[in-house]
Amino acid sequence: MSRRVENALRVGTLIRGSPHPLGQLLQLCGHSTIQVLGTLNLDSPEDRYDPGWVSAYTNGTSLFPSFRSPGGRTLAIQVVLFDRPSPARMQYMSLLPMSLALGDKILSSDNTLSKLGLNEDAQTESIRKRKLIDKIGLHTVVEHSPTQKELFLPTILNQINCSSEIAQLLTKNAPLLRTREKRSLSVGERVVESATSLWDYFFDIVWRFLTTWCYPLLTRSFVIGLVCHRIIAEIILRVLEWRFHTDSLALKDVLATAQQVDIRLQQFCYWPIQYVTLRKRKDEWESITDRHPEYIRFYNSLWLVANDVIIGIAIGSYIIDNAEWVASQINIILSEWTVDGLRNMIVWLTDGPAGLKLNNELAVFLGALFVWVIDYWKGRSF
């Protein structure tokens, strides 16, 4: 079996039917081919195909495997036990934290930031923090030179991240190592094969009609609508960002509503770019984690917009269904805080509050004046 596995790897039998070029994973793992490292639970270590292989043995009493070396040789082996990350769930190991900053937050050469929905004060603060971080990095007392293991650590983590998909590919092709007897099909099997071929032919005709006529029509209609929406969004963004003078404020800097509209329109204009980037993930192995942050940013922004819409519809529906009660409660609260509470405070201040000695005549005059203003405003407003 060892000789079969070695030969199958050399001729490419075990990597047959790969959904993507295997060279992408091998380049990421720092190798050009898949190699056999050793055997597991082999009856006799002397029967190994290559004397350089490692013989590992497992038992139910220990979680760690044991290793044997034929001929009494001494081997230094470092074994890493890990749970395979699931690429389908976007699980992977990394030495650096994932950056979830928006893709359009770019630091240019002259240390100027262009950020989505941030004013000049926020940009200045971000530049100041970045300069402070760079200055702290210059105060390194001792510079640690990385060891050989530390230099190989990123490659080891890439191998761990790619282990799941490589294992699935090898497991799928493992039955090809067995010898199979060839025989002719029976009559029943030929009938089933003919019926299956007929259904496949029918579904092939339907699929070709959908992909040749329906899908292009729908996609072009969607693209035309997206382009029209993008043009309208760009016009609105120009209006919101227009300044009468260089030092004057734009409309989005004055109105909170205009600022929210500006943020949502910029997010909408950025979504197609993110979606096109995410579509490229299907052309690569899931173990390649370069586009995982884009995936999270895209659906995070979608969720934020959907969250705002859901909360807005819920609150708006509640206010519409209970308009009278909401209006009465708002009236009571505003009257209590802006009229009655203020009036009681002025009356309390005109009568020697907390034993303070005040000019009684002036206090009574000013108190009566302000009370009259409040009563007049209350009668006109409520």
Side-chain angles (χ1 to χ4, degrees):
M1 180 60 72
S2 302
R3 186 181 296 273
R4 289 181 184 176
V5 173
E6 182 72 13
N7 293 332
L9 287 176
R10 289 179 179 177
V11 301
T13 303
L14 287 178
I15 58 176
R16 186 181 301 175
S18 176
H20 306 290
L22 191 63
Q24 295 178 354
L25 293 185
L26 296 178
Q27 183 180 4
L28 191 64
C29 296
H31 293 280
S32 58
T33 57
I34 300 177
Q35 301 176 356
V36 177
L37 299 179
T39 59
L40 180 64
N41 296 331
L42 190 65
D43 295 336
S44 177
E46 285 75 10
D47 296 338
R48 297 181 305 169
Y49 174 60
D50 190 340
W53 289 353
V54 178
S55 296
Y57 297 87
T58 58
N59 52 58
T61 59
S62 177
L63 296 176
F64 304 98
S66 59
F67 298 90
R68 298 178 185 177
S69 176
R73 294 184 306 166
T74 302
L75 297 177
I77 300 175
Q78 185 177 8
V79 181
V80 179
L81 301 179
F82 62 92
D83 294 330
R84 291 176 183 170
S86 177
R89 298 182 179 180
M90 301 180 64
Q91 297 176 355
Y92 68 98
M93 299 182 183
S94 176
L95 296 176
L96 301 176
M98 180 183 295
S99 176
L100 294 180
L102 289 176
D104 52 357
K105 293 182 179 180
I106 304 173
L107 182 64
S108 59
S109 57
D110 55 349
N111 292 334
T112 58
L113 283 175
S114 175
K115 293 191 175 183
L116 179 61
L118 296 181
N119 51 21
E120 295 180 358
D121 295 336
Q123 295 181 15
T124 305
E125 182 67 18
S126 299
I127 295 174
R128 188 188 67 82
K129 290 181 180 180
R130 185 173 293 275
K131 289 182 179 179
L132 182 60
I133 293 174
D134 295 338
K135 186 180 294 185
I136 293 176
L138 298 176
H139 295 277
T140 303
V141 180
V142 179
E143 184 177 357
H144 172 69
S145 58
T147 61
Q148 194 71 14
K149 293 183 180 180
E150 293 176 350
L151 293 176
F152 278 106
L153 192 55
T155 304
I156 295 174
L157 291 182
N158 290 332
Q159 295 176 359
I160 293 175
N161 296 330
C162 299
S163 62
S164 179
E165 288 188 308
I166 294 179
Q168 293 176 3
L169 180 61
L170 297 179
T171 303
K172 182 182 68 174
N173 294 321
L176 299 178
L177 298 176
R178 305 172 185 173
T179 57
R180 295 175 294 177
E181 297 180 357
K182 297 182 179 180
R183 65 179 182 86
S184 60
L185 297 177
S186 62
V187 177
E189 290 176 343
R190 291 178 180 177
V191 172
V192 173
E193 186 178 5
S194 300
T196 304
S197 301
L198 183 61
W199 277 108
D200 291 341
Y201 178 73
F202 173 74
F203 284 121
D204 184 63
I205 294 176
V206 175
W207 179 253
R208 286 186 179 182
F209 173 76
L210 293 176
T211 55
T212 306
W213 298 97
C214 298
Y215 181 74
L217 180 61
L218 293 176
T219 53
R220 290 183 181 181
S221 302
F222 179 75
V223 169
I224 292 174
L226 194 64
V227 170
C228 295
H229 202 298
R230 178 65 181 268
I231 294 174
I232 297 174
E234 290 290 343
I235 294 174
I236 297 176
L237 287 174
R238 294 286 184 178
V239 173
L240 294 177
E241 296 176 357
W242 181 78
R243 301 174 186 272
F244 185 74
H245 293 291
T246 306
D247 299 332
S248 62
L249 296 177
L251 187 61
K252 67 175 184 179
D253 298 328
V254 178
L255 300 178
T257 304
Q259 185 179 9
Q260 291 297 319
V261 172
D262 179 75
I263 293 174
R264 298 310 178 199
L265 289 179
Q266 291 194 39
Q267 287 179 342
F268 172 79
C269 295
Y270 190 59
W271 282 344
I273 302 175
Q274 287 181 311
Y275 182 75
V276 171
T277 304
L278 294 180
R279 292 288 297 180
K280 295 180 180 178
R281 293 179 64 247
K282 295 185 177 181
D283 299 333
E284 296 178 348
W285 295 88
E286 294 181 349
S287 300
I288 300 177
T289 61
D290 296 340
R291 294 186 174 90
H292 285 4
E294 290 292 337
Y295 179 90
I296 296 177
R297 294 188 200 115
F298 177 68
Y299 286 100
N300 186 30
S301 60
L302 286 181
W303 169 247
L304 290 177
V305 174
N307 212 9
D308 292 343
V309 173
I310 292 171
I311 294 176
I313 292 175
I315 295 177
S317 301
Y318 178 80
I319 293 175
I320 292 174
D321 295 338
N322 305 274
E324 296 182 359
W325 182 83
V326 172
S328 62
Q329 293 298 318
I330 294 176
N331 188 15
I332 293 173
I333 294 173
L334 291 178
S335 299
E336 181 68 26
W337 286 94
T338 61
V339 178
D340 297 336
L342 184 60
R343 190 177 189 281
N344 295 332
M345 180 66 68
I346 293 176
V347 172
W348 178 69
L349 289 174
T350 58
D351 194 17
L356 296 177
K357 295 182 180 181
L358 302 175
N359 189 335
N360 294 330
E361 291 77 8
L362 182 61
V364 171
F365 171 75
L366 294 177
L369 177 62
F370 286 115
V371 167
W372 175 80
V373 172
I374 292 173
D375 291 337
Y376 180 79
W377 181 70
K378 178 181 178 180
R380 294 290 301 272
S381 301
F382 296 94

